[in-house]
Amino acid sequence: MRALLAVALLALTALAGCATDPVDPSTPPPPPPPPPPTVPFDQMPEGAGHDHADPASHKFLWNYEFTARDPLMSNPANIAGLHAMDLQDGFLFGAIYGSHGASVDGGMQIWDVQSDPTQPKALGRWTIPGSVGGDRSIGATADGDYAVIGLEPVDCLGHVNPIGAATSAYLLDTRDKQRPVVSDIVTPAGSGGSPAENPTKPHVSSHSVFVHRINGTDYAFIFGQIYEISRDEAAGAKLVYVGSVSTGHDIYVRDTPWNRTWALSANGEGGLVIFDVTDPAKAFEIATWDREDHDEMGYYFHTADVAFVEGQTLVVLTSEDFGPHVSPFWVLDGNPLTAITAAGQSEKLNEIGEWHNPYNHTAANIRFSLHNPRFHDGAILTISSYHAGMFQLDLRQPHMWEHPQMIAAIAYAEGDVPLTNDPVESAVEGNLCQLGITVDAPMYMDVAVGSNGTLYLGDVFMGLYTFVPTVDHPVFGARVAGSA
Ligand SMILES: [Zn+2]
């Protein structure tokens, strides 16, 4: 074996034109990796003396600094309602929901984050009157010309929004960012453009939406149902049903480096299922994963994302939790999926790592649960975590996968808290829906990531926060210093 290696080395060095000195003994070994950053001490004391609704008590910033907040239309009687976001072509699209505050109207808000990424500029707003729900419920096309918003017009209290009840999703024409307009709707019976084409799997509520371009065509994954966003200047853009994959919660759609497209479906009470959707009309399952202690633990699977880094395939699956548990995410080995390009071969993935907040805060009625994650910049994972704020982790190297390294965190609030405590709604919500969500500051539901690590955090009560990395940031700091 050693002889073979030597021959190979000689051949390589001969090719490189330096056969006289195949190994330079003076070459120093590569430097050891820098020590992981020291995680700051817990900034979120629980119990007496700490008011979770007091913005002044929540100013924690680690490797990020605050630059802007847009309170949207929040005031003492109304929450901001910002719940989910999608950043495309320099525009930030936000879904507005009133599911946790009876007063707020639903809809969509668009910001320009290109002119000055540190100061989002509000452009148009589209409103649906009355309270609607939704979760990961907005996606926009890569050119920013269209957005899809999913609705849950019936909330857990049994409130029905009379305007939203006949609609489970809207296709919005956002070519004019000041004046977004409705281009098509999906009703419980199918899409407005072609109701007869989707009679098989009607659903009233659309908990999640993801929009993705596959082989030059835009598709909307609306709670598992797949629609082509068909652009026709004469007839207007329509949602045309092409197929479906199963989901119990979120679907993220990602391209692999080897020209396949995957839909990662976090199935809530079920497990993770990954589908190949390279041809969205002919989706097929390629992977599953679940935990045996799933029911016992009480959390459910919320969102999955995938990173392709240094020839490795890395899947992350997050939990959401209302119970007395610490809400984790799991790191899964996606490498067995590299070779699958046809139906009939589904792999059971293996868990290779796990992470939860370093302070062991239990989810406690979702207050410290994980929520929406995003992989970006290789395999940096940024995840929103309600009142716990935002955590950012580095998974770019295989040695980081078993215990992902925390590199930044934010739990920051400012401004005035809306006073939207409706005693009846709160009592019913706590007892019947078992949500018990209270007004906390902050309450980050989603994160969108701009260039050079700029972060947009969607706070359902307080609005849109913008943060930029400091020069001390272990990944983005050098870029910040270089651009200064
Ligand atoms: Zn607090």
Side-chain angles (χ1 to χ4, degrees), residues 44 50-52 58 387:
M44 195 73 77
H50 179 79
D51 178 3
H52 288 306
H58 301 86
H387 188 54

Side-chain angles (χ1 to χ4, degrees), residues 69-82 96-97 103-105 109 111 125 414-420 439 459-465:
R69 182 176 74 99
D70 181 347
L72 287 95
M73 296 171 74
S74 63
N75 58 44
N78 204 0
I79 66 173
L82 182 59
I96 312 299
Y97 290 105
S103 52
V104 69
D105 288 339
Q109 171 71 51
W111 291 269
R125 183 175 171 117
E414 65 120 62
D416 298 317
V417 179
L419 306 171
T420 55
V439 175
D459 184 315
V460 71
F461 298 131
M462 305 287 282
L464 176 69
Y465 285 95

Side-chain angles (χ1 to χ4, degrees), residues 249-262:
H249 207 279
D250 278 10
I251 287 179
Y252 277 18
V253 186
R254 300 292 189 206
D255 296 324
T256 75
W258 53 93
N259 296 320
R260 307 299 297 183
T261 301
W262 292 353

Side-chain angles (χ1 to χ4, degrees), residues 4-365:
L4 273 175
L5 202 63
V7 171
L9 270 175
L10 276 172
L12 277 174
T13 49
L15 279 172
C18 51
T20 51
D21 187 13
V23 177
D24 181 357
S26 68
T27 301
T38 303
V39 174
F41 65 90
D42 192 359
Q43 299 279 325
M44 195 73 77
E46 294 181 75
H50 179 79
D51 178 3
H52 288 306
D54 176 16
S57 302
H58 301 86
K59 298 292 184 189
F60 174 54
L61 293 163
W62 181 43
N63 293 330
Y64 271 91
E65 61 186 317
F66 166 78
T67 63
R69 182 176 74 99
D70 181 347
L72 287 95
M73 296 171 74
S74 63
N75 58 44
N78 204 0
I79 66 173
L82 182 59
H83 200 136
M85 298 181 295
D86 196 15
L87 199 171
Q88 298 291 348
D89 196 40
F91 296 101
L92 185 64
F93 298 81
I96 312 299
Y97 290 105
S99 58
H100 310 305
S103 52
V104 69
D105 288 339
M108 180 187 68
Q109 171 71 51
I110 306 175
W111 291 269
D112 168 9
V113 292
Q114 194 162 26
S115 304
D116 181 353
T118 70
Q119 303 287 330
K121 183 183 172 208
L123 300 174
R125 183 175 171 117
W126 172 83
T127 298
I128 176 168
S131 177
V132 290
D135 197 18
R136 152 63 65 216
S137 294
I138 191 165
T141 55
D143 58 10
D145 280 354
Y146 293 90
V148 175
I149 184 166
L151 296 188
E152 293 182 291
V154 183
D155 69 15
C156 77
L157 310 180
H159 293 164
V160 178
N161 180 327
I163 294 175
T167 308
S168 56
Y170 285 94
L171 172 65
L172 302 172
D173 182 334
T174 54
R175 287 178 291 178
D176 182 344
K177 301 291 181 295
Q178 308 281 353
R179 282 172 287 277
V181 293
V182 175
S183 189
D184 197 6
I185 61 170
V186 175
T187 72
S191 72
S194 52
E197 291 178 22
N198 180 25
T200 52
K201 289 188 176 179
H203 58 79
V204 174
S205 284
S206 300
H207 196 65
S208 62
V209 167
F210 203 96
V211 171
H212 192 73
R213 183 165 290 177
I214 304 172
N215 292 324
T217 301
D218 294 311
Y219 294 91
F221 290 68
I222 303 175
F223 204 46
Q225 297 193 14
I226 310 171
Y227 294 84
E228 178 187 339
I229 300 175
S230 173
R231 304 189 190 196
D232 184 316
E233 280 302 325
K238 299 290 181 196
L239 292 165
V240 179
Y241 178 79
V242 297
S244 70
V245 291
S246 64
T247 193
H249 207 279
D250 278 10
I251 287 179
Y252 277 18
V253 186
R254 300 292 189 206
D255 296 324
T256 75
W258 53 93
N259 296 320
R260 307 299 297 183
T261 301
W262 292 353
L264 299 102
S265 173
N267 267 313
E269 307 291 327
L272 166 75
V273 183
I274 303 177
F275 298 92
D276 185 306
V277 293
T278 309
D279 179 351
K282 294 176 184 162
F284 57 89
E285 178 189 307
I286 61 169
T288 58
W289 184 78
D290 205 347
R291 282 184 68 90
E292 288 181 3
D293 64 353
H294 195 159
D295 290 341
E296 175 192 334
M297 288 302 291
Y299 43 55
Y300 50 93
F301 296 137
H302 192 277
T303 309
D305 203 353
V306 62
F308 304 97
V309 57
E310 299 199 349
Q312 310 272 328
T313 298
L314 186 66
V315 176
V316 157
L317 178 65
T318 68
S319 61
E320 184 173 60
D321 199 332
F322 285 83
H325 319 286
V326 179
S327 172
F329 70 71
W330 298 274
V331 184
L332 311 175
D333 178 4
N335 285 318
L337 308 184
T338 308
I340 304 179
T341 56
Q345 184 187 354
S346 181
E347 295 280 343
K348 279 193 163 55
L349 298 183
N350 288 316
E351 179 184 332
I352 52 176
E354 187 262 357
W355 185 88
H356 58 266
N357 77 73
Y359 316 114
N360 296 312
H361 285 293
T362 59
N365 269 336

